[in-house]
């Protein structure tokens, strides 16, 4: 589904990620783990087209999208749940969803909106509320819902659990498990490694912009020594 | 750095002055660009027409007259540079200011110090002539206009309650001061007093006040670009009070105010039916050069040349002191504006004050006003 | 009655300010540029509108051509000037914008003449609407009505159409909006077009009121527009509308009641300084 | 050398002092000010009032400087609260407020301004020398500040305020200092102007003068003392140099401002390095 080949990227000439080789299989949930500053968010942002590539390629469904503008990436099926939610704070819940489905035809977007509401009934209750005034958990639901509005093939999630009550994390993970059944590919960046390992199919561990270890969840869990050296189990 | 500036400016000034030595040079500054560019154009072309006539008739003292025009942009700082340049070049025998009070005041002391005769054609600020004995006026003082208006309202119009609206600069203030100084003795009272800035075009608050005042007469002192919108807005609000005004004798005023201008009385304006036999030809020449926007400015610019030429002829010399003396002794001179009776000891003009009234889109002469003079 | 008159004139001008400066608000919201050259679009609209009206005899045709001219010029200013300097420090686009304003104003002077243009057959000329002892200039009604209608159309678009919602999302988070398929460049052109169109309408209305357009007519809104976007909460349309009304009314009463001691420009200046000292980032919700 | 040349030199010198003073705030400290003419105006009015009251010019000038500097301090406090374009708008409003207040103030002559400001008694050459002296002083101070630690602090604020604070540089302290010095020097320039024109009106100190000063700094090259001096000379002599353009001066002026911002945001100061780049290493 998504492939990074010898990929480097960074800000203002300084590399944040170097020579990364990753493959994200279709239908799988892949977790990117690693300490702060390891380059996880930069990798996601590069896939969305917000970090300048410095070498290598990004392939999506076999197509080279390394230099495509962000606007195109949503059309080919990539969506993001950014770190800290980043809702359109002045807009209502429903309006956030409408923007999420902006690249779809009107009727399809409306249908998708109902799907999201059935996934998160809380959002349906609050559809006319200004999104900036929602609670943290509701905001995360809205961020996920907004990303799902575009009917993506690939969903990038940055720090799902950050700042959320455990109960809310459960609600979100449950929702993700449900949407995965439709074949959605997910890339999850997480600080909460135990949570991530419990749901991920495959794991990449990054440190200082490089991949230091990867494998299936089970493999990584078994290699606890190396893993803890880089990440530490929380 | 310094040397470079000096070199640069020396080069420039060498380019700027290229006149045959035999010519008589008259300097002039006017706002050719900037907010008053329309007035500056009217003045410059009128001056050129007046000098062209003199040259066509053989010049002055057997020499051709040459005009050097400078753009003061209506700004004091520019006028200082220009005055210094004219004085340094030492070529002009007399200088005319066809400009507003700010640049004229700024330049006057420099010409006085250089003993170069200087005629303030338009500017009406009282301090200008107080600078010294080389500085003369070419038109009526703001105070005189304002005071005479008060007298006219009481004696000719037989009204007493007046609302006054003046531009917030030295012209407007002098009008107001003159009006207030004269009104007491005439039994005229102010029921409303308003001012507006140079850039103002929106007079909603003033119009609201005028409606409340319900005066017998409204007196407006300002320029055409404010007077046009102001008079339109007054009439658009349904206020039908008679209006008398100073400073609006510009064709452009009628163009802007259109039917609202009808019946507006204009203080100190000769009207389109000026009695000077050369007047129709003058207007035709202005029209040919599209300089009819502010005929009042044109008339007094022409008048300044009339006054200067007369003095130079009588002085019989290009000696500046003799020209100064001749200016001071000007007597019963027929100008494009009217007849200049004489100068006061303070070098202010003594001249009858015409009144005109807007009728059918033209300025029609409407007799003369009694002159009020401020106490010395 | 006097106070009612002052209020009416204040509201009429407040509405006019709102319409004329909406472009500044839209552009600031999207690009964080103080688009002072916007004032020139107001003047351009007025000149073109009056010129075409005088030539064709139809105010509607004049208005349409004026809007087109201002829209084209507004988009050109974005394309030729701002687009390449968006990443520079804020003073760069600000001074470039000032340069454009100076350039265009002098261009108007050269093309249309120093003395400006007057309207030949002004339909609102000396027209007033009288109820008993009470009369209002028709142009005031047109000004307030025109502003309210155009603002309502804009507000409806921004709140109830998909494109309008996408536009607001772009103001809120431009990078992210792009990720949802919003074409940020198109949104920018739309903002310049809508703002310029409103400025052109406002310009024509002021020309009709004064019966005059001058090369520097736009100075009416250049600096005040900046005050309004700050008072209104930076890029916030409702806020800007309220700020415009407040400023229009404050000016009307300030000049009316204390005109001899208060300068019109100083009223906006005091309001601006006081606001910024209390709310250093402008009124309105803090952005996260 | 004629009076005209002396007068042009004086005016150019005054504008150099004024532009360099703005550069202290804008260039060295990264604080955009669009109301600098107000401080020039404060200096001019104080000097004019004192001279007219009989105080010799040489004593009146420092007082004007002091008061303008104090006013700068007040606005400097405002600059601690608001940043970037907000500060630009605040200073712009300060400029309008100054003109608005002076315009309506009877004590300051209102719209009439102050005329008949007595001569300094130094004569035209002496006045020009006084201006030249002030130019040397201002330029020397500007160069000194930009080369020394204070200048370093200024520049680090302009580059990155948070970083400067973590380095232990008290940005508030330096911002206030920059405003204070910059406005005091603007007051000096204003005082020199009052002595030069011997007649002042409020309109002179309005928005367009503030913009002209900002344009001088930016066209010259923000932060570069030499560039700003060149910018001030160019724009002051602009009407003289470009007299041949006649009616199209403002058009060219506007186009120049846009052109510099688009193609040479470093201003004139950036030209030498550009030329070097073109010439290339051999």
């Amino acid at each position: 589904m998504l492939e990074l080949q010898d990929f480097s990227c960074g800000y203002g000439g300084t590399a944040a990620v170097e020579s990364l080789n990753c493959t994200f299989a279709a239908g799988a949930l892949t977790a990117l783990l690693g300490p702060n500053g390891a380059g996880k968010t930069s990798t996601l942002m590069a896939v969305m087209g917000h970090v300048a590539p410095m070498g290598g390629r990004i392939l999506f469904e076999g197509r080279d999208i390394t230099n495509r503008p962000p606007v195109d990436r949503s059309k080919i099926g990539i969506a993001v749940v950014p770190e800290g939610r980043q809702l359109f704070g002045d807009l209502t819940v429903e309006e956030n969803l409408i923007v999420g489905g902006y690249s779809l035809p009107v009727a399809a977007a409306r249908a998708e909106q109902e799907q999201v509401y059935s996934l998160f009934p809380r959002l349906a209750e609050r559809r006319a509320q200004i999104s900036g005034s929602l609670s943290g958990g509701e905001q995360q639901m809205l961020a996920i819902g907004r990303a799902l509005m575009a009917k993506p093939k690939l969903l990038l999630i940055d720090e799902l659990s950050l700042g959320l009550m455990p109960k809310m994390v459960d609600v979100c993970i449950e929702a993700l498990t449900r949407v995965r059944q439709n074949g959605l590919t997910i890339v999850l960046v997480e600080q909460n490694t135990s949570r991530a390992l419990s749901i991920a199919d495959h794991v990449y561990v990054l440190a200082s912009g490089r991949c230091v270890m990867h494998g299936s969840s089970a493999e990584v869990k078994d290699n606890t020594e190396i893993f803890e050296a880089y990440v530490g189990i929380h | 750095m310094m040397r470079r500036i000096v070199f640069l400016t020396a080069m420039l000034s060498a380019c700027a002055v290229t006149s045959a030595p035999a010519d008589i040079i008259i300097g002039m500054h006017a706002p050719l660009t900037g907010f008053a560019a329309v007035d500056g154009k009217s003045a410059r072309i009128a001056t050129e027409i007046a000098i062209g006539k003199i040259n066509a008739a053989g010049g002055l003292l057997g020499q051709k007259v040459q005009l050097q025009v400078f753009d003061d942009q209506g700004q004091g700082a520019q006028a200082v540079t220009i005055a210094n340049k004219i004085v340094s070049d030492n070529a002009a025998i007399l200088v005319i200011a066809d400009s507003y009070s700010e640049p004229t005041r700024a330049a006057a002391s420099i010409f006085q110090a250089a003993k170069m005769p200087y005629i303030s054609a338009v500017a009406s600020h009282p301090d200008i002539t107080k600078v010294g004995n080389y500085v003369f006026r070419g038109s009526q003082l703001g105070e005189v206009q304002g005071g005479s208006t008060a007298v006219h309202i009481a004696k000719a119009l037989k009204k007493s309650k007046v609302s006054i609206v003046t531009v917030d600069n030295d012209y407007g203030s002098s009008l107001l001061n003159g009006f207030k100084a004269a009104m007491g003795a005439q039994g005229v009272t102010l029921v409303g007093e308003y001012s507006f800035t140079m850039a103002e075009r929106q007079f909603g608050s003033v119009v609201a006040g005028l409606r409340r005042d319900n005066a017998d007469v409204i007196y407006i002192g300002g320029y055409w670009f404010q007077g046009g919108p102001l008079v339109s807005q007054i009439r658009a609000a349904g206020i039908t009070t008679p209006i008398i005004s100073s400073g609006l004798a510009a064709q452009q005023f009628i163009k802007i105010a259109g039917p609202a201008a009808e019946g507006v009385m204009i203080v100190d304006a000769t009207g389109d039916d000026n009695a000077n036999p050369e007047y129709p030809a003058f207007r035709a020449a202005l029209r040919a050069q599209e300089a009819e926007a502010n005929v009042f400015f044109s008339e007094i610019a022409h008048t300044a040349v009339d006054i200067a030429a007369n003095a130079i002829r009588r002085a019989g010399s290009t000696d500046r002191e003799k020209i100064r003396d001749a200016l001071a002794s000007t007597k019963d001179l027929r100008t494009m504006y009217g007849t200049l009776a004489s100068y006061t000891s303070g070098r202010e003009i003594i001249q009858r004050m015409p009144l005109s009234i807007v009728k059918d889109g033209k300025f029609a002469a409407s007799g003369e006003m009694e002159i009020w003079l401020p106490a010395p | 009655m006097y106070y009612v008159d002052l209020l009416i004139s204040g509201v009429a001008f407040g509405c006019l300010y709102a319409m004329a400066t909406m472009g500044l608000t839209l552009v600031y919201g999207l690009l964080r540029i103080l688009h002072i050259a916007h004032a020139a679009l107001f003047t351009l609209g007025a000149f073109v509108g009056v010129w075409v009206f005088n030539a064709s005899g139809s105010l509607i045709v004049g208005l349409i051509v004026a809007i087109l001219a201002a829209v084209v010029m507004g988009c050109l200013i974005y394309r030729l000037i701002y687009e390449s300097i968006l990443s520079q420090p804020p003073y760069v686009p600000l001074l470039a914008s000032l340069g454009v304003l100076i350039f265009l104003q002098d261009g108007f002077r050269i093309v249309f003449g120093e003395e400006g243009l007057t309207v030949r057959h002004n339909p609102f000329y000396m027209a007033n609407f009288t109820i008993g002892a009470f009369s209002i200039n028709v142009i005031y009604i047109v000004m307030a009505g025109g502003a309210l209608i155009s603002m309502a159309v804009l507000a409806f678009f921004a709140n109830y159409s998909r494109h309008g919602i996408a536009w607001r999302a772009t103001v809120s988070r431009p990078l992210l909006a792009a990720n949802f398929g919003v074409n940020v460049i198109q949104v920018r052109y739309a903002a310049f077009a809508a703002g310029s169109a409103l400025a052109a309408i406002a310009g024509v209305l002021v020309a009709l009121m004064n019966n005059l357009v001058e090369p520097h007519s736009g100075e009416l809104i250049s600096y005040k527009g900046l005050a309004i976007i700050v008072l209104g909460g930076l890029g916030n349309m409702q806020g800007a509308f309220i700020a415009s009304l407040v400023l229009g009314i404050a000016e009307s009463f300030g000049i009316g009641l204390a005109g001899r001691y208060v300068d019109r420009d100083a009223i906006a200046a005091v309001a601006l300084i006081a606001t910024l000292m209390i709310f250093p980032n402008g009124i309105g919700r803090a952005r996260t | 050398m004629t009076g005209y040349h002396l007068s042009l030199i004086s005016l150019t010198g005054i504008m150099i002092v004024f532009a360099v003073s703005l550069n202290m705030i804008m260039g060295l400290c990264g604080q955009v000010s669009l109301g600098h003419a107000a401080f020039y105006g404060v200096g001019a009015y104080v000097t004019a009032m004192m001279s007219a009251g009989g105080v010799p010019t040489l004593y009146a000038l420092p007082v004007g400087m002091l008061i303008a500097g104090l006013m700068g301090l007040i606005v400097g406090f405002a600059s601690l609260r608001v940043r970037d374009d907000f500060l630009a708008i605040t200073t712009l409003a300060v400029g309008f407020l100054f003109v608005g207040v002076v315009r309506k103030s009877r004590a300051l002559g209102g719209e009439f301004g102050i005329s008949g400001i007595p001569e300094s008694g130094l004569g035209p050459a002496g006045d020009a020398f006084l201006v030249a002296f002030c130019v040397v002083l201002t330029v020397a101070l500007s160069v000194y500040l930009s080369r020394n630690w204070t200048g370093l602090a200024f520049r680090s604020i302009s580059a990155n305020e948070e970083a400067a604070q973590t380095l232990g540089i008290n940005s508030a302290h330096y911002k206030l200092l920059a405003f204070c010095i910059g406005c005091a020097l603007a007051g000096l320039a204003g005082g020199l102007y009052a002595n030069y024109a011997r007649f002042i009106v409020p309109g002179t100190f309005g928005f367009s003068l503030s913009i002209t000063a900002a344009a001088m700094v930016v066209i010259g090259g923000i932060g570069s003392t030499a560039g700003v001096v060149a910018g001030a000379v160019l724009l002051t002599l602009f009407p003289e140099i470009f007299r041949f353009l006649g009616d199209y001066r403002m058009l060219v002026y506007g186009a120049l401002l846009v052109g510099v911002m688009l193609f040479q945001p470093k201003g004139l100061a950036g030209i030498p390095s550009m030329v070097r780049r073109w010439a290339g290493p051999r």
Side-chain angles (χ1 to χ4, degrees):
Chain A
M1 168 70 64
L2 178 72
E3 212 180 331
L4 303 183
Q5 292 181 342
D6 202 23
F7 182 73
S8 306
C9 66
Y11 308 88
T14 321
V17 172
E18 280 181 87
S19 306
L20 201 58
N21 283 295
C22 301
T23 309
F24 303 93
L29 194 161
T30 312
L32 287 180
L33 304 178
N36 268 335
K40 297 166 297 185
T41 296
S42 299
T43 308
L44 284 198
M45 287 298 111
V47 175
M48 289 316 301
H50 293 315
V51 180
M54 295 167 71
R57 300 198 297 168
I58 304 176
L59 299 180
F60 180 71
E61 296 185 309
R63 275 184 294 172
D64 187 345
I65 60 160
T66 319
N67 293 309
R68 298 280 288 275
V71 135
D72 289 0
R73 303 190 191 211
S74 81
K75 289 187 186 135
I76 57 173
I78 309 179
V80 66
V81 178
E83 185 178 351
R85 277 83 72 178
Q86 300 196 18
L87 298 175
F88 301 114
D90 298 338
L91 274 59
T92 63
V93 169
E94 182 145 320
E95 286 171 341
N96 267 277
L97 295 181
I98 289 173
V99 177
Y102 189 70
S103 51
L104 299 184
V106 180
R110 200 155 292 154
E112 202 57 37
Q113 197 173 305
E114 292 314 312
Q115 294 270 328
V116 170
Y117 282 145
S118 67
L119 190 63
F120 297 114
R122 274 291 260 287
L123 295 183
E125 292 163 24
R126 306 206 183 283
R127 61 173 77 196
Q129 195 171 328
I130 296 291
S131 62
S133 64
L134 296 176
S135 75
E138 290 164 345
Q139 290 198 2
Q140 190 62 283
M141 291 178 207
L142 180 55
I144 294 170
R146 182 181 63 180
L148 292 175
M149 279 297 294
K151 279 191 167 171
K153 296 173 190 160
L154 173 66
L155 180 64
L156 309 171
I157 305 177
D158 200 357
E159 304 291 6
L160 180 74
S161 66
L162 195 70
L164 291 194
M165 296 197 306
K167 209 179 121 202
M168 283 300 165
V169 181
D170 292 341
V171 173
C172 291
I173 285 181
E174 206 240 281
L176 286 181
T177 327
R178 271 212 274 160
V179 291
R180 271 189 73 192
Q181 289 158 4
N182 307 334
L184 181 68
T185 311
I186 298 177
V187 179
L188 175 68
V189 164
E190 239 329 318
Q191 291 273 343
N192 187 339
T193 38
S194 57
R195 262 283 169 66
L197 288 172
S198 70
I199 56 166
D201 302 315
H202 201 85
V203 174
Y204 283 87
V205 181
L206 304 188
S208 309
R210 290 170 184 282
C211 176
V212 292
M213 168 178 199
H214 70 98
S216 71
S217 271
E219 281 166 12
V220 170
K221 269 189 214 158
D222 292 344
N223 261 320
T224 43
E225 273 176 36
I226 308 178
F227 184 61
E228 278 178 29
Y230 285 109
V231 185
I233 304 271
H234 298 277
Chain B
M1 179 55 64
M2 231 31 155
R3 206 158 12 135
R4 244 188 296 165
I5 301 171
V6 173
F7 172 69
L8 197 64
T9 52
M11 228 172 55
L12 286 164
S13 49
C15 304
V17 187
T18 47
S19 55
D23 286 355
I24 283 180
I25 294 174
I26 291 180
M28 165 189 167
H29 64 89
L32 301 179
T33 58
F35 71 94
V38 175
D39 303 333
K41 183 184 176 192
S42 295
R44 176 176 60 84
I45 290 174
T47 310
E48 283 167 4
I49 291 170
I51 286 180
K53 265 192 288 189
I54 292 171
N55 283 338
L60 288 175
L61 312 177
Q63 295 173 20
K64 285 268 181 270
V65 179
Q66 201 193 333
L67 184 68
Q68 270 181 14
V69 186
F70 296 89
D71 176 17
D72 61 30
Q73 298 174 28
Q75 292 173 6
Q78 294 292 334
V80 171
T81 316
I82 290 166
N84 277 310
K85 175 159 177 54
I86 295 175
V87 166
S88 300
D89 289 347
N90 200 24
I93 58 163
L94 180 144
V95 180
I96 296 171
D98 281 313
S99 195
Y100 282 47
S101 287
E102 183 193 331
T104 310
R105 281 168 78 191
S109 58
I110 297 168
F111 291 115
Q112 173 63 33
K115 296 197 187 310
M116 205 176 260
Y118 185 56
I119 302 175
S120 163
V122 192
S124 57
H125 193 280
D127 284 357
I128 293 170
T129 45
K130 290 180 186 150
V131 162
N133 62 347
Y134 276 79
V135 182
F136 290 80
R137 191 83 62 179
S139 58
Q140 212 68 261
L141 271 176
E143 257 104 343
V144 177
Q145 284 188 30
S148 305
T149 306
V151 174
H152 186 79
I153 287 171
K155 291 196 175 161
L157 304 180
K158 309 224 181 299
K159 311 265 187 191
S160 60
K161 285 193 310 176
V162 179
S163 289
I164 188 164
V165 194
T166 50
V167 59
D168 213 348
N169 73 354
D170 41 15
Y171 176 54
S173 305
S174 342
L175 292 174
L176 186 62
N177 289 346
F179 191 92
K180 282 182 168 170
M183 69 181 190
Q186 304 297 329
V188 169
T189 51
L190 282 185
V191 290
E193 190 182 326
Y194 311 89
S195 65
F196 52 84
T197 61
M198 281 304 272
E200 194 69 272
R201 304 288 183 273
Q202 277 70 49
F203 299 99
S205 310
V206 172
V207 171
L210 290 174
R211 193 189 340 240
R212 175 193 56 176
D213 295 345
N214 196 20
D216 299 334
V217 183
I218 297 168
Y219 179 34
I220 297 171
Y223 305 98
W224 57 267
F225 42 84
Q226 304 137 344
L230 175 57
V231 169
S232 333
Q233 287 171 36
I234 290 173
R235 294 295 185 234
I239 300 171
T240 52
T241 313
I243 296 175
I244 188 163
S245 68
S246 279
L248 301 187
Q251 254 32 51
Q252 200 65 13
F253 163 67
I254 296 180
K255 218 171 155 192
I256 298 165
E262 287 296 306
V264 171
M265 290 167 274
I266 318 271
V267 172
D268 198 24
T270 57
D272 292 321
D273 40 7
N274 186 312
N276 191 315
E278 291 175 29
Y279 190 75
F282 174 55
R283 280 298 287 273
L286 285 176
R287 200 171 307 127
Q289 298 193 59
E290 294 176 358
E292 272 191 311
N294 192 344
V295 173
F296 174 71
F297 252 65
S298 300
E299 286 170 6
I300 46 188
H302 192 295
T303 297
V305 177
D306 293 337
I307 296 171
N310 172 268
I312 294 169
R313 275 201 197 96
R314 282 186 294 111
S317 143
T318 56
D319 181 74
R320 290 184 189 124
E321 197 183 340
K322 287 190 180 141
I323 294 171
R324 191 221 80 88
D325 293 343
L327 275 172
S329 63
T330 303
K331 264 239 140 17
D332 298 327
L333 172 66
R334 173 136 216 190
T335 67
M336 191 49 80
Y337 196 72
T339 301
L340 173 58
S342 65
Y343 271 107
T344 67
S345 57
R347 295 164 305 285
E348 299 293 352
I349 60 168
I350 299 176
Q351 178 172 284
R352 288 190 293 193
M353 196 181 293
L355 180 75
S356 65
I357 186 165
V358 179
K359 207 172 165 193
D360 302 327
K362 282 184 157 15
F363 293 107
S366 176
E368 283 183 359
M369 293 166 67
E370 186 179 318
I371 290 194
W372 172 89
L373 288 173
Chain C
M1 191 56 74
Y2 175 51
Y3 298 102
V4 175
D5 276 347
L6 286 180
L7 186 68
I8 289 171
S9 119
V11 168
F13 273 93
C15 288
L16 187 89
Y17 287 158
M19 185 159 51
T21 61
M22 193 46 64
L24 282 165
T25 305
L26 296 175
V27 170
Y28 191 85
L30 281 175
L31 303 177
R32 303 281 136 176
I33 287 178
L34 296 172
H35 175 37
I36 204 163
H38 186 66
L41 301 173
F42 172 92
T43 322
L44 177 72
F47 266 120
V48 172
V50 170
W51 192 78
V52 173
F53 178 27
N54 282 347
S56 69
S58 161
L59 182 57
I60 300 297
V61 174
L63 205 56
I64 290 169
V65 179
I67 289 172
L68 287 178
V71 166
V72 169
M73 182 64 83
C75 292
L76 274 179
I77 291 175
Y78 167 70
R79 178 68 189 83
L80 299 178
I81 314 289
Y82 296 145
E83 195 170 55
S84 60
I85 50 177
L86 282 177
S87 56
Q88 304 270 2
Y91 71 86
V92 173
L94 176 62
L95 286 169
S97 191
L98 262 169
V100 172
L101 179 63
I102 295 172
F103 179 86
L104 287 178
Q105 281 193 350
D106 209 46
F108 298 145
R109 183 184 63 79
I110 292 162
V111 174
F112 294 103
E114 316 267 6
E115 66 265 37
L117 283 184
T118 52
V119 185
R120 204 168 293 152
H121 302 289
N122 192 335
F124 302 109
Y125 203 75
M126 288 176 73
N128 56 61
F129 181 74
T130 312
I131 318 168
F134 193 77
S135 86
I136 306 182
N137 301 14
V138 170
I139 192 75
Y140 281 3
I141 300 173
V142 174
M143 264 161 47
L148 289 173
I149 292 170
S150 50
M151 308 299 286
V153 168
L154 194 63
F156 186 84
F157 170 75
N159 286 308
Y160 297 101
S161 86
R162 258 156 66 92
H163 300 294
I165 292 166
W167 174 347
R168 280 161 54 220
T170 312
V171 171
S172 171
R173 296 184 188 276
L175 286 182
L176 204 60
N179 276 137
F180 291 107
V182 179
N183 189 329
V184 176
I185 305 296
Q186 273 175 14
V187 170
R188 287 179 187 164
Y189 278 114
F192 273 92
S196 308
L198 287 178
I201 299 171
V204 171
L205 289 180
V206 170
L208 287 173
M209 183 183 76
N210 289 345
N211 213 36
L212 173 70
V213 207
E214 295 163 281
H216 52 267
S217 287
E219 278 165 18
L220 173 69
I221 59 155
S222 59
Y223 142 78
K224 231 162 267 168
L226 301 183
I228 286 166
I229 61 170
V230 170
L231 295 173
L234 301 159
N236 178 333
M237 285 183 260
Q238 293 98 315
F241 186 70
I242 294 167
S244 306
L245 274 183
V246 169
L247 191 62
I249 293 169
E251 280 186 0
S252 183
F253 278 87
I255 304 287
L257 302 177
R260 284 163 50 69
Y261 312 100
V262 180
D263 183 82
R264 182 185 280 257
D265 289 336
I267 295 173
V270 169
L272 186 59
I273 294 171
T275 308
L276 280 175
M277 289 302 104
I278 301 165
F279 306 98
N281 296 312
I283 298 175
R285 254 189 304 282
R287 284 173 194 285
T288 45
Chain D
M1 192 167 323
T2 66
Y4 171 60
H5 295 135
L6 286 175
S7 139
L8 265 189
I9 291 170
S10 297
L11 192 62
T12 311
I14 291 166
M15 291 320 283
I16 291 174
V17 174
F18 185 42
V20 171
S21 79
L22 179 59
N23 189 43
M24 304 239 174
I25 297 170
M26 267 178 82
L28 298 183
C29 207
Q31 310 283 309
V32 176
S33 169
L34 292 179
H36 208 49
F39 304 101
Y40 183 79
V42 168
Y45 267 91
V46 171
T47 309
M49 297 287 282
M50 290 184 69
S51 304
V55 179
T57 311
L58 288 180
Y59 295 114
L61 276 175
V63 179
M65 234 177 123
L66 188 74
I67 294 181
L70 286 175
M71 298 272 187
L73 196 64
I74 296 171
V75 178
F77 276 111
S79 83
L80 301 182
R81 249 183 107 61
V82 294
R83 280 189 200 163
D84 294 338
D85 29 8
F86 292 102
L87 181 61
I89 309 179
T90 309
T91 53
L92 184 116
V94 168
F96 276 94
L97 187 58
F98 171 79
V99 175
V101 167
V102 174
R103 191 171 264 162
K104 297 287 180 179
S105 159
R106 289 269 146 106
L108 297 174
E111 283 285 350
F112 282 81
I114 300 175
S115 62
I117 300 166
E119 287 180 69
S120 63
L122 302 170
D127 278 339
F129 185 78
L130 177 67
V131 170
F133 176 74
C134 292
V135 169
V136 171
L137 214 67
T138 309
V139 169
L141 181 66
S142 173
V143 171
Y144 172 83
L145 282 180
S146 57
R147 288 215 178 131
N148 280 274
W149 197 81
T150 319
L152 189 74
F154 280 164
R155 262 177 287 131
S156 59
I157 293 167
S158 111
N160 184 339
E161 196 160 316
E162 279 81 26
Q165 262 162 346
T166 53
L167 288 173
I169 295 167
N170 183 344
S171 71
H173 182 87
Y174 285 105
K175 270 197 211 169
L176 285 180
L177 192 64
F179 259 93
C180 214
I181 298 175
C183 292
L185 287 173
L188 173 67
L192 291 171
Y193 175 76
N195 182 45
Y196 161 82
R198 297 179 46 219
F199 166 62
I200 52 174
V201 285
T204 307
F205 310 104
F207 186 49
S208 66
L209 184 65
S210 292
I211 291 308
T212 307
M216 284 171 180
V217 170
V218 168
I219 288 177
I222 194 159
S224 150
T225 308
V228 171
V229 170
V233 172
L234 179 72
L235 289 199
T236 310
L237 298 181
F238 194 86
E240 312 294 321
I241 299 172
F242 294 97
R243 191 156 272 166
F244 65 91
L245 291 172
D247 227 13
Y248 300 92
R249 275 195 322 245
M250 289 313 284
L251 197 74
V252 174
Y253 182 66
L256 186 67
L257 201 54
V258 177
V260 169
M261 287 298 96
L262 283 185
F263 304 114
Q264 187 60 354
K266 287 194 180 125
L268 296 174
I271 290 176
S273 68
M274 204 171 70
V275 170
R276 239 174 283 137
R277 222 171 30 244
W278 276 344
R282 286 172 197 247

